[in-house]
Amino acid sequence: MLKFSGSSVVAALLIAVVFGAFFFCEYLIYFPTILKCAWPKLSRARGGEGTDGRPADAAVRAMVLSDTHLLGAVGGHWFDKLRREWQMERAFQTALWLLKPEIVFILGDIFDEGKWSSQKHWEDDVRRFHRMFRHSSDTELVVLVGNHDIGFHYEMDWFKLQRFEKVFNASSTRIVTKRGVNFLLVNSVALHGDGCPICQSVEKDLIKLSRDLNCSLQKSQSDGEETENCEGSQSYPPTAPIMLQHYPLYRVSDASCTGQDAAPPEERHLLFREKYDVLSKDASQRLLQWFKPRLILSGHTHSGCEVLHDNKYPEISVPSFSWRNRNNPSFILASVSPGGHSLSKCFLPEESTVIGVYCSAGAGLLLLLLAQCLWMKGLLQLSLCLLGKHKSL
């Protein structure tokens, strides 16, 4: 029969506590948290059955996240980089495995230092991104451009923009169509309206896309007949688009934003700067007039918010996906059909919870070590006492 000494039992307990805390905080914690999330259902009242007659369960399942901010070579401490990237990788891979989205959108600021990184550092950042956000062929990954990827308006140039577009094999302004749903991707960094070459190119693309979408709607309403002004236009499904971009549309502040992922109370009343924190009033109105989107999804502020523009255009600001930017990152789950959409929010484990578990494990280790010391001390005293009695005999 095996016999275990007190010291071996304590050692086993120490190993169990250390391994258990590490395994839970670095692997298991993502599963129960993300298992609470579910794809929202489309009701007929909200357009669950689209213009093509598909039922609600045929909706496109889209996962939307933002502002991953992969740290670069200049400002990223090696441990901070290792920690944040591991957290995002585990959260993303767990979400893919449990939720199985058809398409994933990342709303810009993929990298933290894309605006100034050298080619060597850029290639390293891209390699790490593809490792972290790897996915099967069943899931399509669509990435939008943000100010940290190519620089603010005064920093961006053709080299940075084309470098970004080459990596993700797509134009930064385009329409992605999925089963009758139009997702409009906007390069919002180039919407300053000052006539810069990139700005002119992006606005030209947007005007063309607006014409194509409007012509597709007109054609569907006129029994397939092409109107005079629509000759040569590209056809899209005749539904209002869901507009995705990095910068939010113009709003004064986050004062009206509520919820556990909203900006801290002391920051909500800070006024936003046009063309820096949000798009300008003019650019925002032009986008709304050109596309009349049924939903706008944006990032950039790192906090959640819901806004209704002109009393008919809802916008959702998606919080940052990185624990470096907030204690409770989250992402959006969207069920979308040609005739409707429904959203839900999925929160990731709070970093304070992880720290709490490690602190509790540390306290447990100290108690076990203290118990071991007291046990060894008692054993030593008992041995000395027995030795003294033996000498007296």
Side-chain angles (χ1 to χ4, degrees):
M1 185 175 179
L2 292 174
K3 293 183 179 181
F4 297 96
S5 66
S7 58
S8 63
V9 171
V10 171
L13 287 173
L14 288 173
I15 294 172
V17 169
V18 171
F19 179 77
F22 177 82
F23 190 67
F24 176 76
C25 290
E26 305 306 327
Y27 288 92
L28 291 183
I29 194 171
Y30 300 100
F31 286 88
T33 307
I34 296 176
L35 274 172
K36 296 177 184 176
C37 307
W39 291 102
K41 294 183 178 180
L42 282 173
S43 65
R44 291 181 182 274
R46 295 196 62 180
E49 184 171 321
T51 56
D52 58 358
R54 282 193 174 95
D57 59 5
V60 176
R61 291 183 168 187
M63 176 177 163
V64 185
L65 52 115
S66 186
D67 293 86
T68 52
H69 284 274
L70 270 70
L71 294 174
V74 178
H77 186 274
W78 70 268
F79 182 76
D80 195 14
K81 184 187 299 185
L82 176 69
R83 180 73 186 139
R84 304 311 175 190
E85 291 181 7
W86 172 257
Q87 289 172 317
M88 287 191 286
E89 180 178 352
R90 293 316 318 148
F92 184 76
Q93 295 302 323
T94 304
L96 285 190
W97 191 68
L98 294 177
L99 299 171
K100 296 178 172 55
E102 297 174 62
I103 188 166
V104 177
F105 295 99
I106 306 182
L107 305 181
D109 278 3
I110 312 303
F111 308 106
D112 198 58
E113 298 177 5
K115 55 187 177 180
W116 61 52
S117 60
S118 66
Q119 188 61 28
K120 178 183 177 182
H121 292 152
W122 169 262
E123 290 172 359
D124 180 63
D125 293 346
V126 168
R127 177 187 56 78
R128 288 171 17 242
F129 171 83
H130 285 310
R131 185 201 72 230
M132 292 166 56
F133 294 94
R134 62 191 180 276
H135 54 91
S136 70
S137 58
D138 295 332
T139 300
E140 182 179 358
L141 180 64
V142 179
V143 171
L144 282 76
V145 68
N147 55 287
H148 275 265
D149 301 314
I150 61 173
F152 283 97
H153 172 262
Y154 61 88
E155 298 172 305
M156 70 176 181
D157 55 40
W158 283 111
F159 171 75
K160 295 173 189 173
L161 178 60
Q162 290 171 354
R163 180 173 70 172
F164 184 90
E165 292 179 336
K166 181 180 179 182
V167 164
F168 297 105
N169 195 30
S171 167
S172 61
T173 300
R174 67 191 192 279
I175 291 176
V176 173
T177 300
K178 199 88 170 169
R179 291 214 305 275
V181 178
N182 296 315
F183 295 98
L184 170 67
L185 314 183
V186 177
N187 179 354
S188 54
V189 183
L191 293 182
H192 262 48
D194 61 354
C196 77
I198 296 179
C199 302
Q200 288 180 337
S201 175
V202 168
E203 289 192 18
K204 182 180 177 181
D205 290 340
L206 288 171
I207 291 171
K208 180 183 183 303
L209 291 174
S210 172
R211 175 177 175 269
D212 291 343
L213 281 173
N214 288 328
C215 287
S216 297
L217 286 168
Q218 293 174 18
K219 188 175 180 180
S220 70
Q221 295 166 359
S222 60
D223 298 325
E225 294 183 10
E226 194 172 83
T227 60
E228 184 179 346
N229 295 330
C230 292
E231 187 176 348
S233 63
Q234 184 173 344
S235 295
Y236 290 101
T239 58
I242 291 178
M243 189 164 73
L244 302 103
Q245 58 193 45
H246 181 65
Y247 281 116
L249 296 182
Y250 175 79
R251 61 178 183 259
V252 175
S253 68
D254 271 352
S256 62
C257 305
T258 58
Q260 64 187 98
D261 59 352
E266 64 274 12
E267 296 179 10
R268 293 181 196 177
H269 293 275
L270 298 177
L271 299 181
F272 283 147
R273 294 161 291 180
E274 292 186 59
K275 305 179 181 182
Y276 189 85
D277 299 310
V278 293
L279 288 179
S280 66
K281 291 180 183 178
D282 180 60
S284 300
Q285 283 303 311
R286 277 184 293 152
L287 286 174
L288 294 177
Q289 291 169 5
W290 285 342
F291 297 103
K292 298 178 176 55
R294 53 170 157 153
L295 174 68
I296 303 109
L297 295 169
S298 60
H300 188 60
T301 65
H302 297 176
S303 299
C305 190
E306 297 184 22
V307 183
L308 189 63
H309 299 280
D310 298 342
N311 293 318
K312 54 183 175 181
Y313 302 117
E315 177 180 11
I316 307 293
S317 288
V318 182
S320 174
F321 192 69
S322 172
W323 281 262
R324 193 170 191 258
N325 296 323
R326 55 183 309 110
N327 180 49
N328 59 340
S330 62
F331 57 89
I332 297 288
L333 295 176
S335 298
V336 191
S337 73
H341 63 268
S342 184
L343 308 179
S344 67
K345 195 165 289 184
C346 185
F347 285 90
L348 299 176
E350 295 186 1
E351 186 155 55
S352 55
T353 301
V354 174
I355 293 173
V357 171
Y358 275 128
C359 288
S360 299
L365 286 176
L366 289 176
L367 288 174
L368 285 172
L369 289 172
L370 180 61
Q372 170 78 344
C373 290
L374 291 174
W375 182 82
M376 292 295 291
K377 182 180 179 181
L379 185 63
L380 180 62
Q381 289 177 341
L382 179 61
S383 300
L384 292 174
C385 181
L386 291 174
L387 182 60
K389 288 182 178 179
H390 177 72
K391 285 183 177 181
S392 66
L393 291 175

